[in-house]
Amino acid sequence: MTLESDPQDERDLDRATALMMVDSAAATAVTAVTSGIVLAAFALYLGASNAVIGLLAALPFLTQLIQAPAVPLVEKLRRRRLIAATAAFCARLTLPIMAAIALLPHNAWSLTALVAAQVVIGSLGAVTSCAWNSWVRDLIPEERLGAFTARRTVIATGVTLSVTILAGVALDQVAIADQGLVFAAFFAVAFILGMISVAALARTPEPPMPPPAAGVNLYRLLRAPLRDSNFRRLILFLSSWQFAVNLASPFFTVYFVTQLNYPLTFVMTLSVVSQIANIGVLKFWGQLSDRFSNKSVLAAAAPAYILCIAATALTSQIDDRQLAGAYLIALHVVFGAAAAGVGLATVNIALKLAPRGGATAYIAANTLITSMAAAAAPILGGLFADFFAARELELLVRWSRPGEDLDVLHLAFNNWDFYFLLSALLGLYALHRLTLVREEGEIEHKEMVQQMMTEARRVVANLSPVAGLKMMHAFPAGRLMERRRRRRPEREAEQQALAEAAAEEAEVAVAPMA
């Protein structure tokens, strides 16, 4: 099938979907070892400061600004598959360089080379994303978009989970001095998987783009989504959300390792727990997204995510180390479940509100603006890390009586705790921006919660091996509700029969008078 072919039947669409799943699995493995916890661990191994870690966290967002010149490139060449595959291939060439950084003696130049490699990876990844988003918007039917995104995300999450477990075990088995060999091996394997990803992209069918307008002008292309009032409100929500979340999340690894003194293996375990929870509920979020709306999913998942960020600050208040570890594990279960809904819905709602044929400019404008907001947060966090490290906020509630003083509540926040609390406050503003976005099919928050509780009860009834839980589900509340549902039609029939009888009696009473 040529680049310009248009997959019309189900067979072509299934083939395209399968190839994109292969790309997702391979590309996610590459991303897992060049970002996130593995990248943070590699930076700490090279001796990176908080400012450098903040910069590394910001680079994936800063490099999204490359989508600005990528938009007219896509509109002019109109060969999205060729652009995406070529950019992805060039980005993978940096992986051997990162392997060399891991093997060579590390110094200031090592960190400089690492930052430079991340700039190249992020910049070429932005070009790939620009072409890929428009490509997928025209390829996948809207009614299958939620299921496609959920399936792709499940695969990506599973791969990330596997890589994280492998990285934690491998790094834990070797001495710190030998960890460079482990990182180099990861980058070498990632290079091979990156080539598989490129091959899958090159074989995926691409529907033709609509005829271009006369002249391709970047300003005119990006002006259209900004003049769309509803899409502009979506951009404002996503920008404020990205700033709030990325003020805290890039520093979780640093917080757990440096302030709470947990080993890197435990940090990897937290990530694994979060990813398992993520996978477990992705299908559920995808079904709700297709059945109702992405905004409804966000209204349920986003507040939970914000609460988890705020609750992370309470970890430092727990003196018992084992109890604090159990608390973090439970918290990351909720983290993962909420992140699954937020991640799926934010991608889908941007694709859904972008018009067919014009998705390139809409998605690019959204990415450019939200990326600037997301990049600013970790940079500010890294720069002010030392400032907050020297400050402490103490809250004390004390009950005093003759001869005795009792501390009812004693909280002391310092260092990274401030970031998590501030992030949660900014997240509340982002939730306010979400209420202003309009999406077809959205439902009331109360109804959404009812749907979630119904699904949760069904899952417990089907999966729980404990008979008592099933009995609790079925009786008494479940049985009573079922009985009420069965009796409702009977009551309605009785009421209708009484009304008809009353009408007949009225007719009989009126007849003699006539």
Side-chain angles (χ1 to χ4, degrees):
M1 185 172 288
T2 62
L3 285 173
E4 291 77 13
S5 57
D6 185 3
Q8 295 290 341
D9 54 29
E10 287 294 321
R11 185 171 59 183
D12 286 335
L13 184 58
D14 291 341
R15 174 174 171 265
T17 302
L19 287 169
M20 285 193 166
M21 296 307 157
V22 173
D23 164 61
S24 175
T28 302
V30 176
T31 304
V33 298
T34 56
S35 63
I37 295 179
V38 178
L39 179 62
F42 185 45
L44 290 174
Y45 167 75
L46 296 178
S49 63
N50 289 328
V52 173
I53 291 177
L55 177 60
L56 289 173
L59 282 178
F61 304 106
L62 284 175
T63 51
Q64 291 301 313
L65 299 177
I66 301 298
Q67 289 209 31
V71 171
L73 176 66
V74 172
E75 293 292 334
K76 184 175 182 178
L77 295 182
R78 313 190 77 72
R79 302 181 69 181
R80 295 168 291 190
R81 182 170 72 170
L82 177 63
I83 295 172
T86 303
F89 173 78
C90 294
R92 308 299 192 246
L93 297 179
T94 60
L95 292 170
I97 298 176
M98 295 184 66
I101 296 173
L103 293 175
L104 295 175
H106 50 270
N107 48 39
W109 288 104
S110 301
L111 289 172
T112 302
L114 176 62
V115 171
Q118 290 297 304
V119 170
V120 174
I121 292 174
S123 300
L124 293 174
V127 176
T128 301
S129 297
C130 182
W132 189 88
N133 285 326
S134 172
W135 179 3
V136 170
R137 180 65 178 88
D138 293 344
L139 178 65
I140 306 299
E142 188 169 297
E143 63 274 10
R144 294 177 58 171
L145 190 58
F148 169 81
T149 306
R151 183 184 172 193
R152 183 178 171 89
T153 307
V154 166
I155 293 175
T157 306
V159 172
T160 303
L161 175 63
S162 302
V163 171
T164 302
I165 294 175
L166 183 60
V169 173
L171 292 172
D172 189 47
Q173 295 300 316
V174 299
I176 296 179
D178 297 327
Q179 287 184 353
L181 293 174
V182 177
F183 287 116
F186 275 127
F187 297 139
V189 174
F191 175 73
I192 298 173
L193 294 176
M195 294 300 104
I196 296 176
S197 168
V198 172
L201 279 177
R203 296 178 57 196
T204 304
E206 177 194 358
M209 293 180 67
V216 179
N217 182 277
L218 178 62
Y219 174 74
R220 187 163 57 248
L221 284 172
L222 298 181
R223 184 175 59 182
L226 296 179
R227 295 178 68 178
D228 185 329
S229 60
N230 192 43
F231 200 83
R232 186 171 64 248
R233 288 193 289 267
L234 174 65
I235 291 177
L236 289 174
F237 157 66
L238 293 176
S239 299
S240 56
W241 174 263
Q242 289 291 346
F243 185 89
V245 169
N246 284 282
L247 186 65
S249 58
F251 301 103
F252 281 149
T253 300
V254 180
Y255 173 68
F256 297 143
V257 173
T258 60
Q259 185 169 334
L260 300 183
N261 297 315
Y262 281 109
L264 189 60
T265 304
F266 179 74
V267 179
M268 297 288 187
T269 302
L270 293 179
S271 177
V272 169
V273 169
S274 179
Q275 297 295 337
I276 291 175
N278 193 298
I279 294 176
V281 299
L282 261 177
K283 184 178 179 181
F284 168 64
W285 288 124
Q287 291 172 344
L288 290 181
S289 172
D290 287 336
R291 184 178 178 184
F292 300 108
S293 72
N294 299 291
K295 182 183 173 182
S296 301
V297 171
L298 284 170
Y305 194 91
I306 290 297
L307 286 176
C308 286
I309 292 179
T312 303
L314 298 177
T315 311
S316 60
Q317 311 304 310
I318 304 175
D319 295 330
D320 190 320
R321 189 175 178 82
Q322 292 184 345
L323 181 60
Y327 172 78
L328 283 174
I329 291 175
L331 191 62
H332 275 71
V333 172
V334 184
F335 245 135
V342 172
L344 182 142
T346 51
V347 172
N348 274 3
I349 194 171
L351 290 173
K352 186 175 180 180
L353 297 186
R356 283 191 178 273
T360 303
Y362 273 69
I363 299 301
N366 172 64
T367 303
L368 288 173
I369 297 173
T370 57
S371 295
M372 286 189 288
I379 290 178
L380 292 175
L383 291 176
F384 287 96
D386 294 335
F387 173 83
F388 283 110
R391 268 74 180 173
E392 183 176 67
L393 175 64
E394 189 170 359
L395 301 177
L396 177 63
V397 177
R398 175 174 295 171
W399 170 259
S400 297
R401 61 184 180 183
E404 183 182 8
D405 291 332
L406 178 63
D407 292 344
V408 179
L409 178 66
H410 185 195
L411 299 177
F413 298 105
N414 56 59
N415 207 349
W416 299 110
D417 297 333
F418 290 114
Y419 284 89
F420 305 145
L421 297 176
L422 181 59
S423 174
L425 290 176
L426 294 174
L428 295 178
Y429 171 75
L431 295 178
H432 163 68
R433 301 303 315 181
L434 175 63
T435 62
L436 305 178
V437 179
R438 295 291 174 262
E439 181 190 7
E440 182 180 353
E442 64 182 273
I443 61 174
E444 294 294 331
H445 180 70
K446 181 179 180 181
E447 184 178 351
M448 183 72 178
V449 172
Q450 290 175 346
Q451 291 289 338
M452 293 174 62
M453 294 300 295
T454 301
E455 179 67 15
R457 285 202 318 135
R458 186 190 66 78
V459 170
V460 169
N462 291 338
L463 299 182
S464 175
V466 183
L469 288 178
K470 293 187 176 182
M471 292 178 63
M472 289 174 61
H473 168 79
F475 184 83
R479 293 284 177 84
L480 290 176
M481 292 298 294
E482 183 179 353
R483 185 177 179 183
R484 288 181 60 186
R485 285 194 294 268
R486 287 201 307 265
R487 294 189 61 184
R488 188 178 301 165
E490 298 176 1
R491 289 198 303 269
E492 293 177 353
E494 292 175 358
Q495 293 175 356
Q496 184 176 359
L498 291 175
E500 291 175 355
E504 292 176 358
E505 291 177 0
E507 291 177 358
V508 171
V510 172
M513 295 177 61

